[in-house]
């Protein structure tokens, strides 16, 4: 279990900073493990503190809230595969299929429904959500886009896929929860394909 | 200013219930006015209580939280026009244009971005959001749909339009905030048109 963005060269820090950094790192590891195992609701500061072998008040001192700890500890590394071999005519469907997989598998990407929920309640949640889009999703889509305006393609595709995720996995609107996965792939695949081609 | 769903026949209630109903009604009117004038953030329980000429603790006794009061006091009556005269080929664009108007005009429909935000944090917000969709949006779309499965058409359209609203008005993702309104109408108009026709 690796946490990105925490590989600060130890020799660059003085002893006090190093200790504080170690504590912070231990809390993050414990939080990530606990959120992944128990889910957001059942993971408590107490349980995370226990796993990190530290007093709960120290967890709060470092991260101030469970929401803050959640966004800080989850990498949300989508690990998008290289899509350069995908047939351009199949790119839309491939993206939709990949998107559904990431949203339904907590293991690969972290708890995305919780992240989307926190994006509207917690400034750090919003920043993280935007970072996931701009650093991971947008570049992948831009490489696939054949339209004259790849940034627009990416923005349009984001609206379609985020709307799907929001209604199916966060709000759980029955009429979209009930739709077969294959129908989603076909229908949204066509839409995403059109946005990629820009017509 | 009329609040729907509160027109309980007075003679059906005994005196105590009647008083309590009047108080509740006065709070709702004051809340609706305050949210509409000041917006969700600047509207406080104190200001609402002042306008209702009541102690703030009474507001909390009736509605327990600002979020609860917000969802209870706003009608979210979209007042969708009769769309039966719209040319079937223009239905997609017409729906997108209407949708953007409703989201950008607080006066007509109430504060929809706040409702969408509360739909993920507050059970009453979720219920209200779902009710707006199933009671107002879905029937309007179903009447326009020419596909074999109008319920599916409505669900697909909801994903596209809610995703647009979420990224543009709630999360405020720069790359979608920056897109010209005319481009949104053309692009999403085509998508909505395809979902209406079911191909």
């Amino acid at each position: 279990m690796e946490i990105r963005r925490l590989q600060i060269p130890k020799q660059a820090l003085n002893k006090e900073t190093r200790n504080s950094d170690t504590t912070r790192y231990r809390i993050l590891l414990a939080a990530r493990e606990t959120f992944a195992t128990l889910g957001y609701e059942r993971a408590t500061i107490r349980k995370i503190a226990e796993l990190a072998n530290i007093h709960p008040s120290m967890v709060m001192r470092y991260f101030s809230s469970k929401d803050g700890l959640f966004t800080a500890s989850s990498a949300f590394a989508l690990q998008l595969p290289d899509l350069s071999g995908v047939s351009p005519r199949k790119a839309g469907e491939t993206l939709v299929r990949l998107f559904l997989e990431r949203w339904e598998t907590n293991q690969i990407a972290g708890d995305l429904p919780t992240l989307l929920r926190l994006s509207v309640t917690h400034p750090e949640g919003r920043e993280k959500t935007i970072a996931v889009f701009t650093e991971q999703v947008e570049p992948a889509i831009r490489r696939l886009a054949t339209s004259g305006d790849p940034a627009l393609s990416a923005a349009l595709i984001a609206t379609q896929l985020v709307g799907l995720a929001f209604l199916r996995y966060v709000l759980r609107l029955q009429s979209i929860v009930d739709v077969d996965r294959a129908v989603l792939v076909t229908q949204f695949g066509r839409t995403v394909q059109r946005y990629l081609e820009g017509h």
Side-chain angles (χ1 to χ4, degrees), chain A residues 11-189:
Chain A
Q11 62 277 21
L13 304 165
N14 66 29
K15 188 159 178 284
E16 201 185 318
T17 318
R18 204 157 62 223
N19 282 344
S20 138
D21 185 56
T22 309
T23 307
R24 197 183 145 84
Y25 186 69
R26 209 163 72 228
I27 297 170
L28 286 170
L29 282 175
R32 194 179 186 182
E33 174 69 20
T34 311
F35 284 125
T37 318
L38 299 180
Y40 180 80
E41 293 305 331
R42 286 167 57 220
T44 60
I45 296 287
R46 182 173 299 275
K47 280 177 187 156
I48 292 164
E50 201 178 306
L51 185 61
N53 196 22
I54 206 172
H55 194 270
S57 66
M58 284 294 281
V59 176
M60 294 306 280
R61 195 178 128 193
Y62 276 87
F63 294 97
S64 74
S65 72
K66 181 174 161 183
D67 291 351
L69 183 52
F70 173 80
T71 45
S73 66
S74 310
F76 300 110
L78 303 180
Q79 296 174 35
L80 297 175
D82 178 13
L83 297 168
S84 59
V86 172
S87 147
R89 283 176 35 247
K90 290 280 175 193
E93 285 200 3
T94 305
L95 270 178
V96 175
R97 214 174 274 118
L98 200 55
F99 182 83
L100 291 171
E101 261 170 39
R102 288 301 181 266
W103 277 79
E104 288 168 2
T105 319
N106 208 346
Q107 266 58 42
I108 302 171
D111 185 352
L112 293 174
T114 298
L115 178 64
L116 194 60
R117 205 161 52 67
L118 294 183
S119 75
V120 301
T121 55
H122 196 84
E124 285 181 33
R126 176 173 181 270
E127 277 167 39
K128 193 94 173 194
T129 305
I130 290 177
V132 169
F133 175 72
T134 55
E135 292 164 17
Q136 300 183 58
V137 180
E138 201 188 20
I141 295 179
R142 288 177 77 128
R143 274 193 296 275
L144 288 175
T146 53
S147 72
D149 189 343
L152 178 63
S153 292
L156 298 176
I157 291 169
T159 65
Q160 176 59 87
L161 297 184
V162 167
L164 164 61
F166 186 81
L167 292 183
R168 191 168 165 102
Y169 304 114
V170 181
L171 199 71
R172 299 207 173 121
L173 183 72
Q174 205 55 48
S175 64
I176 195 74
V177 169
D178 288 345
V179 181
D180 273 0
R181 208 188 153 89
V183 174
L184 297 177
V185 171
T186 308
Q187 288 293 332
F188 297 126

